[in-house]
Amino acid sequence: CAPVRTRAQRLQEFEHISFEAAEHKVREDDKRRTDFFQLYYKVAWTNPAVYDLCINTARVDVSTAVDIVKAAHAQVAAAS
């Protein structure tokens, strides 16, 4: 998961909205996600230990992230 600023910038570009509106949407989504994970799983959704794979998309572009996911999937499928 990328930092709030990075996600807000992406949302701003995608939805053609102000940075402030995008940041608000990102923070609201994070709050909903936090509440959901806490209610149903009793874990912090921001804890990378909860996931099998975690990619910081602030450091890796989308194409590289897709390649990483494909490679991980292939490895898991081969082990099955």
Side-chain angles (χ1 to χ4, degrees):
C1 186
V4 170
R5 181 170 183 76
T6 301
R7 292 182 287 143
Q9 287 171 333
R10 288 180 184 152
L11 187 61
Q12 176 186 20
E13 292 173 17
F14 183 76
E15 293 193 0
H16 306 287
I17 58 177
S18 71
F19 178 81
E20 292 75 18
E23 184 178 35
H24 179 75
K25 282 186 167 192
V26 168
R27 291 188 188 282
E28 285 290 313
D29 186 59
D30 285 355
K31 171 80 170 92
R32 282 191 298 275
R33 196 176 308 264
T34 296
D35 293 345
F36 178 88
F37 272 72
Q38 190 58 45
L39 178 65
Y40 292 105
Y41 303 111
K42 307 292 188 245
V43 298
W45 75 272
T46 56
N47 180 355
V50 174
Y51 304 96
D52 291 325
L53 179 64
C54 186
I55 302 170
N56 183 344
T57 57
R59 295 177 175 239
V60 175
D61 63 28
V62 172
S63 178
T64 302
V66 169
D67 290 343
I68 292 168
V69 171
K70 284 180 178 178
H73 178 266
Q75 186 175 12
V76 169
S80 298

